[in-house]
Amino acid sequence: MSHGQDPSMLRPWAIPPVLAWGFAALCAALAAAYMGRTFMGNLAPKDFSYFWIAGQIWLEGGNPYLSSFSDIGNDLAATTPGMEGLGGFHRWLYAPHIWGLSTGIGIMDYTPARILWGVGSTIAILWGTYLGLAAVQRPDEPTFWVGYGALSLLAAVTIGTATSISTGQLSPLIYTAAAAFAYGVLRSRGWVVGIALIVLTLKPSFALPFVAFALAARPLRLPTLNAAGIALVLSLPVFLSTPLSELVAGYLDGLGAYGTYGANIPPSLTGATNLLHAGLRLELSGLVYGGLAGLVGVALGLLAGQGDVRARLAVLLAATLLLVPLHLYDLTLLVLLVPLMSGVIWKVAAVLANLAMLRVNRISDIIGMTDTASGFPGSFLASLILLLVLIGALMYWGFSRRADPNGKAQAR
């Protein structure tokens, strides 16, 4: 290129920044409006109520990990404006460092707390999508904003988001944390990895493979240990108000009861537990699946230098989605595979996987693949898609190892 020549003349296809930003703003606004309409359509969701009830119990000096949680929840539902029709609460199983979040909404009346939770969930989806894309692409490029606009819409309408926003689940925050984990790893931001792990461990079963990966990867060990220390500090109000023996006994007792609820039996879950039950009528403990996922995390963390880092993260995410027993409302996480895949063919494949998951419940009903025992129709078909996704992620990793056997590829 000769000196003084306008670079834009060599790229006539370049997108003007103002159009890229306008497209992203429009898509983000549409995504926010769609999610807002979704959560406003259900202002008394049972799943959100668990977090609010736990906050009420903690604020009264109680212990939500005891079996009395269900009775207290039912009593609150009968006397609290906005909770009409709710009841039949089960056990509380989130990690103790969620105390600040639960008590923060617990000090509010139920309906304003629900609205705030919905707004926060909407922001989490939009922010998580930004972080997932920023992990692999610079935000100062117009193409970044075009991609962000498209991804934000995809994340907003997929079945995971539609379900989690409607029911008031924690999944949008977990989605943001998983995106932040990828961002921290690929951008060498250890402190971001630490924050991500603090949030991910609010849901310990899902966090296990990510923690294992971070502990196995030498540069991430210190941020992981720091995250553990901060989580312990955040849990101090719980430890100081509840005898440790009572806390542990209540939590373990709740874990034992987890699989007895209709929403948590294998046909209602996604991944390997659903597939093995459907094919072999085999029911394994969640600890087995969690252990397998943890081993995968360790292996991927130790294999530094084996192909593109983002390819290993893609396998980590895909393996987590298949091995850890989850629900349809967790599957917004599949959107993160799109930025983690490089190359047009692989990105298109990741987008198609998400499109196949959009209304997997309705498709499952149409083709007669719904298990009548499932509390979440479409879980079996979603599990088949997750199996194919893991196979595709492993193939992608294999190609990346051949293309870059020394693992020098970085975020791009």
Side-chain angles (χ1 to χ4, degrees), residues 213-238:
F213 178 96
L215 286 174
R218 188 183 299 273
L220 303 179
R221 289 174 188 168
L222 182 58
T224 305
L225 294 176
N226 289 337
I230 294 172
L232 285 174
V233 171
L234 294 174
S235 302
L236 279 179
V238 178

Side-chain angles (χ1 to χ4, degrees), residues 135-162:
V136 299
Q137 189 176 346
R138 295 181 62 87
D140 56 3
E141 292 287 335
T143 52
F144 172 93
W145 294 105
V146 173
Y148 173 71
L151 274 181
S152 64
L153 276 181
L154 179 62
V157 302
T158 191
I159 189 171
T161 301

Side-chain angles (χ1 to χ4, degrees), residues 253-342:
D253 185 51
L255 280 179
Y258 178 84
T260 64
Y261 308 135
N264 300 324
I265 61 175
S268 298
L269 298 170
T270 59
T273 184
N274 188 303
L275 296 175
L276 289 176
H277 179 269
L280 303 174
R281 294 299 168 187
L282 182 62
E283 293 189 29
L284 300 176
S285 167
L287 295 176
V288 174
Y289 293 111
L292 289 173
L295 290 175
V296 170
V298 169
L300 291 170
L302 290 174
L303 288 173
Q306 297 296 314
D308 191 349
V309 180
R310 66 199 280 185
R312 284 190 290 130
L313 288 175
V315 174
L316 176 68
L317 178 62
T320 301
L321 289 173
L322 182 68
L323 292 176
V324 177
L326 300 171
H327 293 90
L328 288 179
Y329 53 68
D330 295 303
L331 299 188
T332 308
L333 289 154
L334 194 59
V335 174
L336 296 177
L337 275 184
V338 179
L340 287 176
M341 298 287 190
S342 61

